[in-house]
Amino acid sequence: MENNVLNKIVICGVGLIGGSFALALRRAGAVGSVVGVGRSTAALARARELGIIDAASGNAPAELAAALDGAALVLLAAPVAQTEAILAALRPHLQAGTVVTDAGSTKGDVVAAARRALGDKVGQFVPGHPIAGRESNGPDAAIVDLYQGKKTVLTPLAENRAEDVERVAAAWRACGAIIHQLTPQEHDKVFAAVSHLPHLLAYALVDDIARKPHADLLFQYAASGFRDFTRIAGSSPEMWRDISLANQAALLAELDAYMAQLTGLRASLAAGDGAALAGVYSNAQRARQQWIEAIEAAEAPQSKDQAE
Amino acid sequence: MENNVLNKIVICGVGLIGGSFALALRRAGAVGSVVGVGRSTAALARARELGIIDAASGNAPAELAAALDGAALVLLAAPVAQTEAILAALRPHLQAGTVVTDAGSTKGDVVAAARRALGDKVGQFVPGHPIAGRESNGPDAAIVDLYQGKKTVLTPLAENRAEDVERVAAAWRACGAIIHQLTPQEHDKVFAAVSHLPHLLAYALVDDIARKPHADLLFQYAASGFRDFTRIAGSSPEMWRDISLANQAALLAELDAYMAQLTGLRASLAAGDGAALAGVYSNAQRARQQWIEAIEAAEAPQSKDQAE
């Protein structure tokens, strides 16, 4: 590789995440050829039409061997539940010069799957999580700017070589992302709190309302606040079932803390304790305002990478 | 009144809600003069500068008597906790031809306050709730289009004359709103579920996160899903304390149902029961999708009033 140009990359899963990665690398002139691997020949054909990939490959061993031959980087961008099976299929064909990364929303389970599937080749796997997404999916959803100004969290393993971590980081930077590093455990605790729990809570509210006998009346009066609060309940149920189970322990801990918070608020409400309610509401309003201001300040210049 | 033009209206509270009402009536040519009543002389002066009101009045009895003299309509648009005190101050000066309405987010408590404050004049009070708002407040936040295409729910009393209810409805229609009618009890149950509970849940989550020792790390990775989920936690803590207490019984019932829902989801998660999680998530995703489609269908033509 000269000047950070990857001669050849392989994308397992040519939907929103993998497709946007390929498009962004192409625009940056950071990649030679892109091979798409997947189960759906229709999706692969569409990805080729859209200029996301140069060549398509099925999952048969001979095809995978050809796809991986001489590849600098492999991105796993299929549903997280398939990680172990895909890595196991790749392993026999994985050359010493190839680095593999992923885009899964959980990391502890992905690392465990990688250790089982890759064995002594696990050092070639650098776990990652781009913090970007949309509600739509498939090759047609892919956009070149998906990662622009967004964070990508890498959770390197002790076995990773520094230059392999840097190869993955450089690819994400070429897509416009800002690189952060956490341990897999830190990552999963953080995202249980700020992403996985809110998804569960939003699904829970909509389901709760939808099952009431007067659901139609209720939905008739739901307005913009409800729309925003429940937007994440429009996400893929299968994907979020898998994420919930993959991050079970951390999500249970966050859910328990939240239920304790609700139990306290319920007691304040039942007691008519306006000061206690106002204390929680005010603290939340203030903290959120500070957070929004910090985001806006950070996004304003958006010039240099952080924390790598 | 000829052609639904109100000769004179009085706005108690010249902020977002009252100011937008006055601006919209003026644009529609539906009002002669507008008198603003309030405690803050600065807000009244600003409302006059902005062309929201023609004249300002303080709360002294002689001033209120002059403000109410010959008024066709009075809108209460001050914090709900002040409703009873304002109505009690207006009562001695309330002429037989004047109709009073309000814009409070809860109705059971407002009706009770109106009965106490107005006594045998309660028939002149038509309770209302425009389903519109923004996070900003004060006269400068007022906008002429705030109610355009939005619902206003009226919860008439048995004592109201039909023509008085119609006077209030016509004024809101002139602002572009679509009139719905519910009983005060129905209103409070509906909004406990689709508005008051989500606010409490959003405040609870942000407060929960903000109090953790690693709050700064967590907020660093909160992204657009978190931003939307918690947008309503940016609302006024005092206003939502008052709403929570004013609608205590209905909100407790909805909170209990939601906590039972979370208890069930927690058990499914702890048991690793992916089918149960997927059942809740899928039902929510489907119900929300249907709701969004129904909203979009309703908002597309947006031509005629409903349900009056």
Side-chain angles (χ1 to χ4, degrees), chain A residues 254-307:
Chain A
E254 293 301 329
L255 179 55
D256 286 344
Y258 186 73
M259 289 174 74
Q261 166 86 327
L262 289 188
T263 300
L265 268 174
R266 192 207 182 282
S268 300
L269 180 59
D273 186 345
L277 293 178
V280 170
Y281 293 3
S282 301
N283 187 51
Q285 194 253 0
R286 201 167 39 236
R288 188 176 186 281
Q289 185 57 34
Q290 286 168 358
W291 171 64
I292 293 284
E293 284 164 12
I295 290 176
E296 286 170 355
E299 285 180 355
Q302 205 173 77
S303 56
K304 61 186 199 344
D305 289 8
Q306 250 183 290

Side-chain angles (χ1 to χ4, degrees), chain A residues 87-137:
Chain A
L87 288 174
L90 298 181
R91 186 183 186 284
H93 318 292
L94 202 56
Q95 297 174 349
T98 304
V99 177
V100 183
T101 187
D102 80 310
S105 300
T106 51
K107 294 273 70 74
D109 67 312
V110 163
V111 169
R115 290 193 186 284
R116 288 191 301 267
L118 295 178
D120 61 3
K121 290 186 177 176
V122 77
Q124 289 174 250
F125 180 72
V126 179
H129 176 201
I131 315 303
R134 302 166 72 203
E135 278 156 60
S136 45
N137 217 322

Side-chain angles (χ1 to χ4, degrees), chain B residues 203-245:
Chain B
Y203 281 126
L205 182 71
V206 180
D207 178 72
D208 182 36
I209 288 178
R211 288 178 196 277
K212 291 183 197 277
H214 56 307
D216 288 348
L217 180 70
L218 296 176
F219 280 121
Q220 197 180 348
Y221 292 101
S224 64
F226 185 84
R227 193 195 298 222
D228 287 351
F229 184 86
T230 62
R231 185 180 65 77
I232 50 183
S235 310
S236 158
E238 295 74 23
M239 177 176 155
W240 284 93
R241 173 201 60 203
D242 291 347
I243 290 173
S244 301
L245 293 174

Side-chain angles (χ1 to χ4, degrees), chain B:
Chain B
M1 295 194 301
E2 289 170 35
N3 300 322
N4 278 337
V5 176
L6 301 160
N7 58 337
K8 177 182 177 181
I9 67 168
V10 176
I11 307 285
C12 298
V14 293
L16 169 69
I17 297 297
S20 298
F21 183 73
L23 289 175
L25 287 178
R26 283 183 183 284
R27 184 172 67 179
V31 68
S33 69
V34 180
V35 180
V37 173
R39 293 186 299 193
S40 159
T41 52
L44 289 168
R46 184 65 184 143
R48 211 162 159 175
E49 268 176 35
L50 292 167
I52 293 171
I53 60 174
D54 301 298
S57 166
N59 291 318
E63 288 181 280
L64 289 180
L68 287 176
D69 184 44
L73 185 66
V74 179
L75 173 70
L76 268 55
V80 175
Q82 299 173 27
T83 301
E84 185 166 355
I86 293 173
L87 287 174
L90 297 182
R91 186 183 187 284
H93 317 292
L94 202 55
Q95 297 173 348
T98 304
V99 178
V100 183
T101 188
D102 80 311
S105 300
T106 51
K107 294 272 71 72
D109 67 313
V110 164
V111 169
R115 291 193 185 286
R116 288 191 300 267
L118 295 179
D120 60 5
K121 290 185 178 177
V122 76
Q124 290 174 249
F125 180 73
V126 179
H129 176 200
I131 315 304
R134 303 165 72 203
E135 277 156 59
S136 45
N137 216 321
D140 285 285
I143 51 173
V144 71
D145 281 328
L146 186 66
Y147 304 114
Q148 187 62 49
K150 300 289 162 49
K151 296 183 183 73
T152 290
V153 180
L154 301 183
T155 64
L157 308 178
E159 294 90 335
N160 291 149
R161 297 190 312 162
E163 58 263 44
D164 290 352
V165 176
E166 174 53 26
R167 187 184 299 180
V168 175
W172 283 112
R173 269 191 236 107
C175 296
I178 299 160
I179 302 298
H180 285 233
Q181 283 197 16
L182 294 172
T183 67
Q185 295 72 29
E186 286 170 340
H187 172 281
D188 287 355
K189 280 189 64 165
V190 165
F191 287 92
V194 301
S195 172
H196 309 170
L197 177 64
H199 275 81
L200 183 148
L201 299 178
Y203 281 126
L205 182 71
V206 180
D207 178 72
D208 182 36
I209 288 178
R211 288 178 196 277
K212 291 183 197 277
H214 56 307
D216 288 348
L217 180 70
L218 296 176
F219 280 121
Q220 197 180 348
Y221 292 101
S224 64
F226 185 84
R227 193 195 298 222
D228 287 351
F229 184 86
T230 62
R231 185 180 65 77
I232 50 183
S235 310
S236 158
E238 295 74 23
M239 177 176 155
W240 284 93
R241 173 201 60 203
D242 291 347
I243 290 173
S244 301
L245 293 174
N247 202 16
Q248 186 191 37
L251 181 53
L252 279 172
E254 293 301 329
L255 179 55
D256 286 344
Y258 185 74
M259 290 173 74
Q261 166 86 327
L262 289 189
T263 300
L265 269 174
R266 193 207 182 281
S268 301
L269 181 60
D273 185 346
L277 293 178
V280 170
Y281 294 2
S282 301
N283 187 51
Q285 193 253 1
R286 199 166 43 236
R288 187 175 187 282
Q289 185 58 34
Q290 286 169 359
W291 172 64
I292 293 283
E293 284 165 11
I295 289 176
E296 287 171 354
E299 285 181 356
Q302 206 173 78
S303 56
K304 60 186 197 346
D305 290 7
Q306 249 182 291
E308 200 201 350

Side-chain angles (χ1 to χ4, degrees), chain A residues 202 205-206 225-234, chain B residues 228-229 288 291:
Chain A
L205 183 71
V206 180
F226 185 84
R227 193 194 300 220
D228 286 351
F229 184 87
T230 62
R231 184 179 67 77
I232 49 182
Chain B
D228 287 351
F229 184 86
R288 187 175 187 282
W291 172 64

Side-chain angles (χ1 to χ4, degrees), chain A residues 4-86:
Chain A
N4 279 337
V5 176
L6 302 160
N7 58 336
K8 177 181 177 181
I9 67 168
V10 175
I11 308 284
C12 298
V14 293
L16 169 69
I17 297 297
S20 297
F21 182 73
L23 289 175
L25 287 178
R26 283 183 183 285
R27 184 173 67 180
V31 67
S33 70
V34 180
V35 180
V37 173
R39 293 185 299 192
S40 159
T41 52
L44 289 168
R46 184 65 185 143
R48 209 161 161 176
E49 269 176 34
L50 292 167
I52 293 171
I53 60 175
D54 300 298
S57 166
N59 292 317
E63 289 180 280
L64 288 180
L68 287 176
D69 184 44
L73 185 65
V74 178
L75 173 70
L76 269 55
V80 175
Q82 299 173 28
T83 301
E84 184 166 354
I86 294 173

